[in-house]
PDB file of all heavy atoms in Angstrom:
ATOM      1  N   SER P   1       0.817  -1.217   0.004  1.00 97.00           N
ATOM      2  CA  SER P   1       0.001   0.001  -0.001  1.00 97.00           C
ATOM      3  C   SER P   1       0.861   1.259   0.002  1.00 97.00           C
ATOM      4  O   SER P   1       1.983   1.259   0.521  1.00 97.00           O
ATOM      5  CB  SER P   1      -0.924   0.007   1.215  1.00 97.00           C
ATOM      6  OG  SER P   1      -0.172   0.023   2.407  1.00 97.00           O
ATOM      7  N   GLU P   2       0.303   2.320  -0.598  1.00 96.00           N
ATOM      8  CA  GLU P   2       0.879   3.677  -0.644  1.00 96.00           C
ATOM      9  C   GLU P   2       2.054   3.773  -1.622  1.00 96.00           C
ATOM     10  O   GLU P   2       2.774   2.810  -1.875  1.00 96.00           O
ATOM     11  CB  GLU P   2       1.281   4.153   0.753  1.00 96.00           C
ATOM     12  CG  GLU P   2       0.108   4.193   1.739  1.00 96.00           C
ATOM     13  CD  GLU P   2       0.568   4.617   3.121  1.00 96.00           C
ATOM     14  OE1 GLU P   2       0.800   5.820   3.292  1.00 96.00           O
ATOM     15  OE2 GLU P   2       0.700   3.749   3.991  1.00 96.00           O
ATOM     16  N   LEU P   3       2.223   4.999  -2.162  1.00 97.00           N
ATOM     17  CA  LEU P   3       3.176   5.208  -3.251  1.00 97.00           C
ATOM     18  C   LEU P   3       4.610   4.840  -2.886  1.00 97.00           C
ATOM     19  O   LEU P   3       5.267   4.123  -3.650  1.00 97.00           O
ATOM     20  CB  LEU P   3       3.124   6.683  -3.710  1.00 97.00           C
ATOM     21  CG  LEU P   3       4.068   7.046  -4.869  1.00 97.00           C
ATOM     22  CD1 LEU P   3       3.758   6.258  -6.129  1.00 97.00           C
ATOM     23  CD2 LEU P   3       4.026   8.544  -5.160  1.00 97.00           C
ATOM     24  N   GLY P   4       5.129   5.293  -1.732  1.00 96.00           N
ATOM     25  CA  GLY P   4       6.529   5.035  -1.370  1.00 96.00           C
ATOM     26  C   GLY P   4       6.877   3.558  -1.374  1.00 96.00           C
ATOM     27  O   GLY P   4       7.789   3.119  -2.095  1.00 96.00           O
ATOM     28  N   PRO P   5       6.156   2.741  -0.596  1.00 97.00           N
ATOM     29  CA  PRO P   5       6.412   1.288  -0.603  1.00 97.00           C
ATOM     30  C   PRO P   5       6.180   0.628  -1.957  1.00 97.00           C
ATOM     31  O   PRO P   5       6.897  -0.308  -2.324  1.00 97.00           O
ATOM     32  CB  PRO P   5       5.415   0.759   0.435  1.00 97.00           C
ATOM     33  CG  PRO P   5       5.174   1.915   1.359  1.00 97.00           C
ATOM     34  CD  PRO P   5       5.222   3.133   0.489  1.00 97.00           C
ATOM     35  N   ILE P   6       5.198   1.127  -2.730  1.00 97.00           N
ATOM     36  CA  ILE P   6       4.941   0.568  -4.061  1.00 97.00           C
ATOM     37  C   ILE P   6       6.122   0.848  -4.989  1.00 97.00           C
ATOM     38  O   ILE P   6       6.548  -0.018  -5.747  1.00 97.00           O
ATOM     39  CB  ILE P   6       3.621   1.114  -4.652  1.00 97.00           C
ATOM     40  CG1 ILE P   6       2.425   0.516  -3.882  1.00 97.00           C
ATOM     41  CG2 ILE P   6       3.483   0.817  -6.140  1.00 97.00           C
ATOM     42  CD1 ILE P   6       1.078   1.149  -4.181  1.00 97.00           C
ATOM     43  N   VAL P   7       6.704   2.059  -4.891  1.00 96.00           N
ATOM     44  CA  VAL P   7       7.880   2.403  -5.697  1.00 96.00           C
ATOM     45  C   VAL P   7       9.024   1.439  -5.364  1.00 96.00           C
ATOM     46  O   VAL P   7       9.717   0.927  -6.266  1.00 96.00           O
ATOM     47  CB  VAL P   7       8.320   3.866  -5.443  1.00 96.00           C
ATOM     48  CG1 VAL P   7       9.705   4.141  -6.029  1.00 96.00           C
ATOM     49  CG2 VAL P   7       7.290   4.828  -6.062  1.00 96.00           C
ATOM     50  N   GLN P   8       9.251   1.179  -4.055  1.00 96.00           N
ATOM     51  CA  GLN P   8      10.316   0.263  -3.639  1.00 96.00           C
ATOM     52  C   GLN P   8      10.053  -1.167  -4.119  1.00 96.00           C
ATOM     53  O   GLN P   8      10.956  -1.870  -4.566  1.00 96.00           O
ATOM     54  CB  GLN P   8      10.460   0.277  -2.100  1.00 96.00           C
ATOM     55  CG  GLN P   8      10.971   1.591  -1.543  1.00 96.00           C
ATOM     56  CD  GLN P   8      12.286   2.036  -2.173  1.00 96.00           C
ATOM     57  OE1 GLN P   8      13.216   1.252  -2.320  1.00 96.00           O
ATOM     58  NE2 GLN P   8      12.346   3.297  -2.570  1.00 96.00           N
ATOM     59  N   PHE P   9       8.792  -1.604  -4.030  1.00 96.00           N
ATOM     60  CA  PHE P   9       8.401  -2.937  -4.473  1.00 96.00           C
ATOM     61  C   PHE P   9       8.655  -3.099  -5.980  1.00 96.00           C
ATOM     62  O   PHE P   9       9.217  -4.115  -6.421  1.00 96.00           O
ATOM     63  CB  PHE P   9       6.910  -3.148  -4.156  1.00 96.00           C
ATOM     64  CG  PHE P   9       6.318  -4.398  -4.740  1.00 96.00           C
ATOM     65  CD1 PHE P   9       6.561  -5.631  -4.154  1.00 96.00           C
ATOM     66  CD2 PHE P   9       5.498  -4.337  -5.859  1.00 96.00           C
ATOM     67  CE1 PHE P   9       6.009  -6.805  -4.699  1.00 96.00           C
ATOM     68  CE2 PHE P   9       4.932  -5.479  -6.397  1.00 96.00           C
ATOM     69  CZ  PHE P   9       5.197  -6.723  -5.824  1.00 96.00           C
ATOM     70  N   VAL P  10       8.262  -2.103  -6.755  1.00 95.00           N
ATOM     71  CA  VAL P  10       8.445  -2.143  -8.207  1.00 95.00           C
ATOM     72  C   VAL P  10       9.925  -2.111  -8.562  1.00 95.00           C
ATOM     73  O   VAL P  10      10.379  -2.807  -9.478  1.00 95.00           O
ATOM     74  CB  VAL P  10       7.660  -0.970  -8.864  1.00 95.00           C
ATOM     75  CG1 VAL P  10       8.057  -0.798 -10.341  1.00 95.00           C
ATOM     76  CG2 VAL P  10       6.144  -1.190  -8.755  1.00 95.00           C
ATOM     77  N   LYS P  11      10.698  -1.318  -7.785  1.00 94.00           N
ATOM     78  CA  LYS P  11      12.153  -1.256  -8.033  1.00 94.00           C
ATOM     79  C   LYS P  11      12.802  -2.619  -7.799  1.00 94.00           C
ATOM     80  O   LYS P  11      13.712  -3.024  -8.538  1.00 94.00           O
ATOM     81  CB  LYS P  11      12.769  -0.195  -7.113  1.00 94.00           C
ATOM     82  CG  LYS P  11      14.237   0.086  -7.422  1.00 94.00           C
ATOM     83  CD  LYS P  11      14.782   1.210  -6.555  1.00 94.00           C
ATOM     84  CE  LYS P  11      16.212   1.501  -6.950  1.00 94.00           C
ATOM     85  NZ  LYS P  11      16.801   2.583  -6.155  1.00 94.00           N
ATOM     86  N   ALA P  12      12.346  -3.312  -6.763  1.00 93.00           N
ATOM     87  CA  ALA P  12      12.894  -4.639  -6.457  1.00 93.00           C
ATOM     88  C   ALA P  12      12.601  -5.625  -7.590  1.00 93.00           C
ATOM     89  O   ALA P  12      13.309  -6.629  -7.748  1.00 93.00           O
ATOM     90  CB  ALA P  12      12.308  -5.149  -5.144  1.00 93.00           C
ATOM     91  N   LYS P  13      11.568  -5.342  -8.370  1.00 92.00           N
ATOM     92  CA  LYS P  13      11.233  -6.197  -9.506  1.00 92.00           C
ATOM     93  C   LYS P  13      11.961  -5.751 -10.792  1.00 92.00           C
ATOM     94  O   LYS P  13      11.728  -6.280 -11.871  1.00 92.00           O
ATOM     95  CB  LYS P  13       9.737  -6.182  -9.746  1.00 92.00           C
ATOM     96  CG  LYS P  13       8.955  -6.943  -8.667  1.00 92.00           C
ATOM     97  CD  LYS P  13       7.570  -7.292  -9.129  1.00 92.00           C
ATOM     98  CE  LYS P  13       6.880  -8.284  -8.189  1.00 92.00           C
ATOM     99  NZ  LYS P  13       7.489  -9.611  -8.187  1.00 92.00           N
ATOM    100  N   GLY P  14      12.811  -4.711 -10.645  1.00 93.00           N
ATOM    101  CA  GLY P  14      13.646  -4.308 -11.779  1.00 93.00           C
ATOM    102  C   GLY P  14      13.106  -3.161 -12.601  1.00 93.00           C
ATOM    103  O   GLY P  14      13.580  -2.899 -13.710  1.00 93.00           O
ATOM    104  N   HIS P  15      12.105  -2.437 -12.068  1.00 93.00           N
ATOM    105  CA  HIS P  15      11.543  -1.291 -12.797  1.00 93.00           C
ATOM    106  C   HIS P  15      11.734  -0.023 -11.962  1.00 93.00           C
ATOM    107  O   HIS P  15      11.294   0.035 -10.823  1.00 93.00           O
ATOM    108  CB  HIS P  15      10.045  -1.479 -13.049  1.00 93.00           C
ATOM    109  CG  HIS P  15       9.704  -2.781 -13.729  1.00 93.00           C
ATOM    110  ND1 HIS P  15       9.693  -2.935 -15.097  1.00 93.00           N
ATOM    111  CD2 HIS P  15       9.379  -3.992 -13.206  1.00 93.00           C
ATOM    112  CE1 HIS P  15       9.356  -4.191 -15.389  1.00 93.00           C
ATOM    113  NE2 HIS P  15       9.164  -4.830 -14.258  1.00 93.00           N
ATOM    114  N   SER P  16      12.390   0.992 -12.539  1.00 92.00           N
ATOM    115  CA  SER P  16      12.606   2.242 -11.810  1.00 92.00           C
ATOM    116  C   SER P  16      12.537   3.428 -12.756  1.00 92.00           C
ATOM    117  O   SER P  16      12.957   3.331 -13.902  1.00 92.00           O
ATOM    118  CB  SER P  16      13.960   2.228 -11.106  1.00 92.00           C
ATOM    119  OG  SER P  16      14.211   3.465 -10.484  1.00 92.00           O
ATOM    120  N   LEU P  17      11.993   4.531 -12.258  1.00 95.00           N
ATOM    121  CA  LEU P  17      11.938   5.752 -13.055  1.00 95.00           C
ATOM    122  C   LEU P  17      13.084   6.712 -12.739  1.00 95.00           C
ATOM    123  O   LEU P  17      13.362   7.614 -13.503  1.00 95.00           O
ATOM    124  CB  LEU P  17      10.602   6.501 -12.778  1.00 95.00           C
ATOM    125  CG  LEU P  17       9.307   5.825 -13.228  1.00 95.00           C
ATOM    126  CD1 LEU P  17       8.115   6.686 -12.837  1.00 95.00           C
ATOM    127  CD2 LEU P  17       9.289   5.547 -14.729  1.00 95.00           C
ATOM    128  N   SER P  18      13.743   6.477 -11.611  1.00 93.00           N
ATOM    129  CA  SER P  18      14.755   7.457 -11.167  1.00 93.00           C
ATOM    130  C   SER P  18      16.194   6.908 -11.209  1.00 93.00           C
ATOM    131  O   SER P  18      17.090   7.533 -10.659  1.00 93.00           O
ATOM    132  CB  SER P  18      14.428   7.946  -9.757  1.00 93.00           C
ATOM    133  OG  SER P  18      14.214   6.871  -8.882  1.00 93.00           O
ATOM    134  N   ASP P  19      16.415   5.795 -11.886  1.00 91.00           N
ATOM    135  CA  ASP P  19      17.779   5.254 -11.972  1.00 91.00           C
ATOM    136  C   ASP P  19      18.735   6.178 -12.689  1.00 91.00           C
ATOM    137  O   ASP P  19      19.935   6.186 -12.433  1.00 91.00           O
ATOM    138  CB  ASP P  19      17.753   3.892 -12.712  1.00 91.00           C
ATOM    139  CG  ASP P  19      17.469   2.756 -11.745  1.00 91.00           C
ATOM    140  OD1 ASP P  19      17.407   3.000 -10.538  1.00 91.00           O
ATOM    141  OD2 ASP P  19      17.293   1.597 -12.206  1.00 91.00           O
ATOM    142  N   GLY P  20      18.199   7.000 -13.609  1.00 90.00           N
ATOM    143  CA  GLY P  20      19.056   7.892 -14.386  1.00 90.00           C
ATOM    144  C   GLY P  20      19.494   9.154 -13.634  1.00 90.00           C
ATOM    145  O   GLY P  20      20.312   9.913 -14.137  1.00 90.00           O
ATOM    146  N   LEU P  21      18.962   9.361 -12.440  1.00 93.00           N
ATOM    147  CA  LEU P  21      19.302  10.568 -11.660  1.00 93.00           C
ATOM    148  C   LEU P  21      20.576  10.317 -10.844  1.00 93.00           C
ATOM    149  O   LEU P  21      20.834   9.205 -10.383  1.00 93.00           O
ATOM    150  CB  LEU P  21      18.170  10.922 -10.700  1.00 93.00           C
ATOM    151  CG  LEU P  21      16.768  11.171 -11.288  1.00 93.00           C
ATOM    152  CD1 LEU P  21      15.821  11.597 -10.190  1.00 93.00           C
ATOM    153  CD2 LEU P  21      16.793  12.197 -12.392  1.00 93.00           C
ATOM    154  N   ASP P  22      21.374  11.381 -10.668  1.00 94.00           N
ATOM    155  CA  ASP P  22      22.532  11.243  -9.779  1.00 94.00           C
ATOM    156  C   ASP P  22      22.063  11.417  -8.325  1.00 94.00           C
ATOM    157  O   ASP P  22      20.889  11.695  -8.069  1.00 94.00           O
ATOM    158  CB  ASP P  22      23.637  12.249 -10.156  1.00 94.00           C
ATOM    159  CG  ASP P  22      23.161  13.697 -10.049  1.00 94.00           C
ATOM    160  OD1 ASP P  22      22.360  14.020  -9.156  1.00 94.00           O
ATOM    161  OD2 ASP P  22      23.630  14.522 -10.879  1.00 94.00           O
ATOM    162  N   GLU P  23      22.986  11.282  -7.391  1.00 95.00           N
ATOM    163  CA  GLU P  23      22.609  11.299  -5.965  1.00 95.00           C
ATOM    164  C   GLU P  23      22.011  12.632  -5.525  1.00 95.00           C
ATOM    165  O   GLU P  23      21.092  12.699  -4.728  1.00 95.00           O
ATOM    166  CB  GLU P  23      23.831  10.947  -5.091  1.00 95.00           C
ATOM    167  CG  GLU P  23      24.285   9.503  -5.206  1.00 95.00           C
ATOM    168  CD  GLU P  23      23.150   8.494  -5.006  1.00 95.00           C
ATOM    169  OE1 GLU P  23      22.433   8.612  -3.992  1.00 95.00           O
ATOM    170  OE2 GLU P  23      22.970   7.620  -5.868  1.00 95.00           O
ATOM    171  N   VAL P  24      22.555  13.718  -6.066  1.00 96.00           N
ATOM    172  CA  VAL P  24      22.036  15.062  -5.719  1.00 96.00           C
ATOM    173  C   VAL P  24      20.610  15.206  -6.227  1.00 96.00           C
ATOM    174  O   VAL P  24      19.724  15.698  -5.502  1.00 96.00           O
ATOM    175  CB  VAL P  24      22.929  16.170  -6.323  1.00 96.00           C
ATOM    176  CG1 VAL P  24      22.309  17.537  -6.093  1.00 96.00           C
ATOM    177  CG2 VAL P  24      24.329  16.103  -5.703  1.00 96.00           C
ATOM    178  N   GLN P  25      20.344  14.755  -7.442  1.00 95.00           N
ATOM    179  CA  GLN P  25      18.994  14.833  -8.017  1.00 95.00           C
ATOM    180  C   GLN P  25      18.007  13.954  -7.252  1.00 95.00           C
ATOM    181  O   GLN P  25      16.874  14.335  -7.030  1.00 95.00           O
ATOM    182  CB  GLN P  25      19.031  14.426  -9.496  1.00 95.00           C
ATOM    183  CG  GLN P  25      19.701  15.445 -10.401  1.00 95.00           C
ATOM    184  CD  GLN P  25      19.862  14.937 -11.827  1.00 95.00           C
ATOM    185  OE1 GLN P  25      20.225  13.789 -12.053  1.00 95.00           O
ATOM    186  NE2 GLN P  25      19.550  15.790 -12.792  1.00 95.00           N
ATOM    187  N   LYS P  26      18.484  12.776  -6.838  1.00 95.00           N
ATOM    188  CA  LYS P  26      17.603  11.878  -6.067  1.00 95.00           C
ATOM    189  C   LYS P  26      17.222  12.526  -4.737  1.00 95.00           C
ATOM    190  O   LYS P  26      16.074  12.412  -4.290  1.00 95.00           O
ATOM    191  CB  LYS P  26      18.284  10.519  -5.836  1.00 95.00           C
ATOM    192  CG  LYS P  26      18.279   9.626  -7.065  1.00 95.00           C
ATOM    193  CD  LYS P  26      18.964   8.306  -6.784  1.00 95.00           C
ATOM    194  CE  LYS P  26      18.995   7.460  -8.057  1.00 95.00           C
ATOM    195  NZ  LYS P  26      19.782   6.218  -7.885  1.00 95.00           N
ATOM    196  N   ALA P  27      18.186  13.181  -4.111  1.00 97.00           N
ATOM    197  CA  ALA P  27      17.899  13.863  -2.829  1.00 97.00           C
ATOM    198  C   ALA P  27      16.926  15.012  -3.046  1.00 97.00           C
ATOM    199  O   ALA P  27      16.008  15.234  -2.255  1.00 97.00           O
ATOM    200  CB  ALA P  27      19.212  14.381  -2.221  1.00 97.00           C
ATOM    201  N   GLU P  28      17.102  15.730  -4.157  1.00 97.00           N
ATOM    202  CA  GLU P  28      16.197  16.833  -4.480  1.00 97.00           C
ATOM    203  C   GLU P  28      14.782  16.303  -4.765  1.00 97.00           C
ATOM    204  O   GLU P  28      13.792  16.880  -4.311  1.00 97.00           O
ATOM    205  CB  GLU P  28      16.729  17.599  -5.700  1.00 97.00           C
ATOM    206  CG  GLU P  28      15.984  18.908  -5.937  1.00 97.00           C
ATOM    207  CD  GLU P  28      16.467  19.634  -7.200  1.00 97.00           C
ATOM    208  OE1 GLU P  28      17.404  19.137  -7.880  1.00 97.00           O
ATOM    209  OE2 GLU P  28      15.895  20.682  -7.497  1.00 97.00           O
ATOM    210  N   MET P  29      14.712  15.217  -5.517  1.00 97.00           N
ATOM    211  CA  MET P  29      13.416  14.619  -5.813  1.00 97.00           C
ATOM    212  C   MET P  29      12.677  14.228  -4.527  1.00 97.00           C
ATOM    213  O   MET P  29      11.494  14.507  -4.360  1.00 97.00           O
ATOM    214  CB  MET P  29      13.598  13.379  -6.705  1.00 97.00           C
ATOM    215  CG  MET P  29      12.273  12.731  -7.109  1.00 97.00           C
ATOM    216  SD  MET P  29      12.513  11.156  -7.967  1.00 97.00           S
ATOM    217  CE  MET P  29      12.908  10.058  -6.587  1.00 97.00           C
ATOM    218  N   LYS P  30      13.395  13.615  -3.605  1.00 96.00           N
ATOM    219  CA  LYS P  30      12.787  13.203  -2.333  1.00 96.00           C
ATOM    220  C   LYS P  30      12.287  14.408  -1.538  1.00 96.00           C
ATOM    221  O   LYS P  30      11.239  14.363  -0.903  1.00 96.00           O
ATOM    222  CB  LYS P  30      13.769  12.380  -1.495  1.00 96.00           C
ATOM    223  CG  LYS P  30      13.910  10.953  -2.000  1.00 96.00           C
ATOM    224  CD  LYS P  30      14.903  10.154  -1.177  1.00 96.00           C
ATOM    225  CE  LYS P  30      15.056   8.763  -1.749  1.00 96.00           C
ATOM    226  NZ  LYS P  30      16.215   8.031  -1.211  1.00 96.00           N
ATOM    227  N   ALA P  31      13.070  15.491  -1.566  1.00 97.00           N
ATOM    228  CA  ALA P  31      12.688  16.711  -0.839  1.00 97.00           C
ATOM    229  C   ALA P  31      11.391  17.287  -1.406  1.00 97.00           C
ATOM    230  O   ALA P  31      10.510  17.704  -0.644  1.00 97.00           O
ATOM    231  CB  ALA P  31      13.810  17.743  -0.925  1.00 97.00           C
ATOM    232  N   TYR P  32      11.243  17.295  -2.720  1.00 98.00           N
ATOM    233  CA  TYR P  32      10.010  17.817  -3.331  1.00 98.00           C
ATOM    234  C   TYR P  32       8.826  16.890  -3.085  1.00 98.00           C
ATOM    235  O   TYR P  32       7.693  17.356  -2.909  1.00 98.00           O
ATOM    236  CB  TYR P  32      10.211  18.045  -4.841  1.00 98.00           C
ATOM    237  CG  TYR P  32      10.833  19.395  -5.138  1.00 98.00           C
ATOM    238  CD1 TYR P  32      12.203  19.511  -5.364  1.00 98.00           C
ATOM    239  CD2 TYR P  32      10.059  20.547  -5.198  1.00 98.00           C
ATOM    240  CE1 TYR P  32      12.792  20.739  -5.635  1.00 98.00           C
ATOM    241  CE2 TYR P  32      10.635  21.799  -5.450  1.00 98.00           C
ATOM    242  CZ  TYR P  32      11.988  21.885  -5.661  1.00 98.00           C
ATOM    243  OH  TYR P  32      12.569  23.118  -5.927  1.00 98.00           O
TER     244      TYR P  32
END
């Protein structure tokens, strides 16, 4: 349930939308 855990679940299955971001961008994305 809920977006955060679903994103992690989908990532564990090999699907991610944010793999192309660097660490700074990932931190910025999380902040927003």
